[in-house]
Amino acid sequence: MTPVSGQIAQRQVTSNVDVVIVGAGFAGMYMVHKCHELGLSCLAIEKGDDVGGTWYWNRYPGARCDVPSLEYSYQFSEDLQRDWKWSEKYATQPEILRYAQHVAERFDLKRDMVFRTTVTRAAWSDDEQTWHVDTDQGDVVSAHFLVMATGCLSSANKPQFPGDDTFTGEMYHTGSWPHDGVDFTGKRVAVIGTGSSGLQSIPLIAEQATHLTVFQRTATYSVPANNGPNDSEYESQVIADIAGFRARNSATRSAFGGDFPANDISVFEVEGDERRQLLEERWGSSGLLFLGAFNDVLISDKSNNEVAEFVREKIRGIVQDPKVAELLAPKQTIGCKRLCLDTNYYATFNRENVTLVDVSTSPIERLTPHGVFTDGREFEVDVIVFATGFDAMTGSFLKANIHGRNGLALTEAWSAGPLTYLGLNTRGFPNMFLVTGPGSPSVLTNMIVSIEQHVNWIGDCIDYMRASGHRVIEADEQAQSDWVNYVNMIAGYTLFPTCNSWYLGANVPGKPRVFMPLLGYSDYVAKCEQVAKADYQGFELSA
Ligand code: FAD
Ligand code: NAP
């Protein structure tokens, strides 16, 4: 295989690398490291001007992880794990970005990365068994393998409202926040959206703005983060047995919380007092593992409602105005949309400078030069913050304009929803690997763990192909179709398909409604290992 052109850092048109990687978030970064380990030439192409992906783009006030940082971090290097110290249980965006930059520096990743460059097209040539990748800078890069590390939550969903371009104030999306920050002092602010990004930013914006109006379409279940400085004694214990800690986490269904396993009892197996006590314990300390109080919360409607009612009662206990509390109390299945973690979210609605506007029955009709118009009324504001989420899981893949065998467009292949085998490859697109693609556990897990598992699997697969003289790999049609059915069947046993979540693509008008992630990390890993051991069963390999 041809080595990388030495001129690539100056971003001249290059010839050929073994692996082109699109994206330099945690997935792209680790993929570059993997290529270095395997002696493969590679190039990562990144739209932003630095590494970090999610943590480069999402700089809104309050942005932080909601999986504890001791777990939401790489595990491929023991030294890195020992050396890096997190200051809080849930680190802030700036700290996570510093971590990403540290990793890039420490493992010399940037020598094979270009920034401020967007992949605008990738096309497979059957004759050459090569991917040709075009960028917005006029580069053309050829590669034997294409690794899409473009992220599950990297393509902003900004709803279009009539009058968008008439608004004369400032507009921001949480997923592409200005690097210099935004000063809300003395301003009237609107936040549209109450998912995780809205919940994290609303309390901090409220502290600064003259007035904050929150437009809520669906109320959100959130549990308290109980964040604070990292407990150094606990951290030392974890580091002393870091391999064991990581192994316990990886053995769970969501790849985190191995030391705080889900209780193996159903909601109605215990009496009311004990049930409440179990929920209280989790409410007080477990973060996202709150739903692990019982084993049937996402399976039984009745059990789900019992747990949901516990949270609704908490909200009623925090929010002083009963009408506002009722609006904030979610009615849908708990856990069906991703659970949130917050610091002071519900209490923020007790502030005099905060107004909640319900747009569930009267949607936002339009933007005006001075604000937001809904239900026959204009709300005048100086700033609008769109906390409206992402075209999740497929958005960035489809935007990259990928064409496989015989010019087949990915947009066409996935027109009725994404089709993959193991979430790692899609038929018709040979030698293209997806990191945390649809059909893999991805967003239902601690994503850094899933990213490392995928990159390790991809690295092993490329290594196997080199050793066995295979040049082309592609999912088998039957294996892919069985896998898609399996992912749907597993979701069908649960309450996940019962609400309009982004897991289903329901947040983006016109997007096919398909449950995209696979439930169950540990079983998935076992399946991937079995496939690899059986000479990549379910894939077609050719010389
Ligand atoms: P990303 O970090 O999204 O990186 C993908 C990169 O690809 C981006 O930098 C993008 O610019 C680039 N790219 C995309 N298309 C192109 C193109 N055509 N050309 C060039 N470059 C391109 N997960 C958790 O497990 N725990 C958490 O606590 C958590 N918190 C989150 C908080 C926020 C605010 C968000 C939005 C997500 C969070 N996630 C969390 C999910 C998070 O996205 C993943 O944990 C992880 O960071 C994803 O890494 P990635 O490298 O796969 O993708
Ligand atoms: P999100 O969960 O999709 O929330 C988007 C919000 O915008 C929802 O409340 C949605 O309402 C609302 N919305 C969308 N279009 C609207 C419209 N036209 N009118 C009114 N409201 C509209 O997006 P997110 O908050 O950015 O989070 C996405 C995911 O990123 C999370 O689920 C999580 O995985 C990750 N994340 C994690 C953290 C963290 O704590 N670490 C922080 C941020 C993000 P509906 O619900 O009615 O659609």
Side-chain angles (χ1 to χ4, degrees):
M1 295 177 174
T2 324
V4 66
S5 152
Q7 294 175 315
I8 198 67
Q10 285 78 49
R11 219 176 39 218
Q12 298 181 9
V13 175
T14 182
S15 47
N16 196 356
V17 288
D18 295 329
V19 186
V20 159
I21 300 155
V22 189
F26 284 125
M29 291 168 65
Y30 185 47
M31 193 65 224
V32 169
H33 182 63
K34 181 58 64 185
C35 288
H36 290 172
E37 276 182 348
L38 293 171
L40 296 164
S41 60
C42 68
L43 179 69
I45 303 174
E46 167 58 53
K47 197 189 306 185
D49 59 15
D50 203 351
V51 294
T54 289
W55 305 102
Y56 168 89
W57 295 105
N58 290 262
R59 299 173 188 235
Y60 60 83
R64 58 174 76 240
C65 56
D66 58 6
V67 166
S69 294
L70 283 173
E71 299 184 57
Y72 188 69
S73 46
Y74 285 123
Q75 55 187 292
F76 68 83
S77 158
E78 202 164 322
D79 287 347
L80 172 66
Q81 295 182 88
R82 282 185 207 292
D83 293 349
W84 185 267
K85 300 281 174 251
W86 294 105
S87 60
E88 290 176 88
K89 181 172 182 186
Y90 301 103
T92 59
Q93 170 273 326
E95 191 171 357
I96 303 173
L97 183 58
R98 277 199 301 280
Y99 171 76
Q101 288 162 341
H102 168 80
V103 173
E105 189 75 18
R106 184 174 179 137
F107 296 96
D108 193 17
L109 305 180
K110 287 193 184 174
R111 74 179 141 105
D112 287 321
M113 291 179 170
V114 284
F115 297 102
R116 291 177 289 280
T117 306
T118 299
V119 168
T120 50
R121 182 181 164 89
W124 170 256
S125 158
D126 241 348
D127 296 341
E128 299 164 70
Q129 297 185 330
T130 293
W131 281 97
H132 295 288
V133 176
D134 298 355
T135 78
D136 65 345
Q137 302 297 319
D139 305 330
V140 185
V141 187
S142 305
H144 192 48
F145 294 100
L146 172 67
V147 176
M148 296 301 292
T150 41
C152 293
L153 296 159
S154 55
S155 178
N157 171 42
K158 188 183 164 298
Q160 302 293 310
F161 297 113
D164 261 0
D165 51 355
T166 64
F167 180 64
T168 52
E170 303 157 53
M171 285 202 273
Y172 304 101
H173 190 284
T174 49
S176 54
W177 202 256
H179 289 200
D180 298 335
V182 178
D183 186 1
F184 295 105
T185 313
K187 293 182 178 156
R188 297 161 303 170
V189 182
V191 173
I192 301 174
T194 53
S196 299
S197 305
L199 262 72
Q200 286 187 328
S201 56
I202 284 166
L204 296 178
I205 296 175
E207 281 174 16
Q208 223 181 44
T210 310
H211 194 91
L212 170 64
T213 308
V214 176
F215 293 87
Q216 171 189 276
R217 187 165 70 181
T218 308
T220 303
Y221 293 100
S222 182
V223 296
N226 296 306
N227 192 25
N230 239 341
D231 173 348
S232 53
E233 204 176 308
Y234 173 68
E235 188 172 0
S236 304
Q237 273 174 28
V238 165
I239 298 298
D241 175 31
I242 190 68
F245 179 72
R246 295 296 193 176
R248 289 191 296 281
N249 295 331
S250 292
T252 66
R253 291 170 60 86
S254 51
F256 74 100
D259 286 345
F260 203 4
N263 296 324
D264 197 16
I265 41 170
S266 60
V267 170
F268 292 104
E269 231 175 299
V270 289
E271 294 302 319
D273 283 354
E274 193 183 338
R275 189 181 308 141
R276 193 167 178 92
Q277 193 198 326
L278 286 169
L279 287 169
E280 287 289 357
E281 271 169 24
R282 294 246 159 189
W283 182 264
S285 61
S286 71
L288 291 181
L289 302 171
F290 171 73
L291 295 178
F294 300 101
N295 63 11
D296 60 341
V297 182
L298 275 157
I299 293 174
S300 150
D301 271 329
K302 194 170 164 221
S303 297
N304 189 284
N305 191 47
E306 190 75 7
V307 175
E309 189 52 28
F310 173 89
V311 180
R312 287 192 282 263
E313 272 176 32
K314 289 285 184 193
I315 296 169
R316 290 176 195 124
I318 298 169
V319 181
Q320 287 151 7
D321 181 333
K323 280 194 194 136
V324 177
E326 224 29 62
L327 282 178
L328 287 169
K331 308 296 177 288
Q332 75 274 14
T333 312
I334 186 169
C336 178
K337 291 190 180 213
R338 192 173 181 282
L339 190 64
C340 299
L341 272 202
D342 75 279
T343 301
N344 295 332
Y345 173 65
Y346 296 117
T348 295
F349 292 90
N350 293 332
R351 294 176 66 104
E352 292 206 337
N353 70 334
V354 177
T355 307
L356 180 66
V357 178
D358 172 26
V359 292
S360 61
T361 48
S362 304
I364 293 170
E365 279 173 42
R366 61 178 188 273
L367 301 191
T368 68
H370 303 295
V372 180
F373 192 92
T374 172
D375 203 15
R377 190 177 157 196
E378 184 185 36
F379 292 83
E380 288 198 4
V381 293
D382 306 301
V383 184
I384 301 177
V385 173
F386 288 86
T388 45
F390 301 90
D391 180 355
M393 304 204 67
T394 54
S396 289
F397 292 140
L398 295 175
K399 277 190 190 154
N401 192 15
I402 303 174
H403 295 262
R405 227 185 257 292
N406 304 319
L408 175 67
L410 189 63
T411 45
E412 198 187 321
W414 286 8
S415 59
L419 304 173
T420 73
Y421 179 43
L422 302 174
L424 279 158
N425 173 256
T426 182
R427 182 162 178 82
F429 298 80
N431 289 9
M432 177 177 84
F433 293 110
L434 311 174
V435 182
T436 62
S440 76
S442 59
V443 292
L444 297 173
T445 66
N446 172 356
M447 286 206 68
I448 301 196
V449 176
S450 283
I451 284 168
E452 286 193 67
Q453 186 262 340
H454 261 194
V455 169
N456 289 337
W457 191 96
I458 294 165
D460 288 349
C461 179
I462 294 177
D463 206 28
Y464 170 89
M465 288 174 69
R466 274 199 306 196
S468 58
H470 291 108
R471 283 194 54 82
V472 180
I473 184 166
E474 183 180 357
D476 168 80
E477 187 144 25
Q478 189 62 46
Q480 173 166 289
S481 137
D482 291 349
W483 186 253
V484 171
N485 291 339
Y486 173 72
V487 173
N488 280 307
M489 181 190 75
I490 299 285
Y493 290 138
T494 72
L495 300 174
F496 272 106
T498 61
C499 67
N500 289 326
S501 69
W502 58 256
Y503 297 137
L504 278 164
N507 62 328
V508 176
K511 191 165 171 172
R513 197 182 166 102
V514 178
F515 192 79
M516 294 179 281
L518 169 72
L519 283 149
Y521 177 75
S522 47
D523 290 349
Y524 171 78
V525 173
K527 170 74 181 172
C528 289
E529 285 170 1
Q530 179 225 314
V531 164
K533 262 199 200 116
D535 295 326
Y536 295 88
Q537 187 184 39
F539 288 97
E540 288 170 9
L541 287 144
S542 53

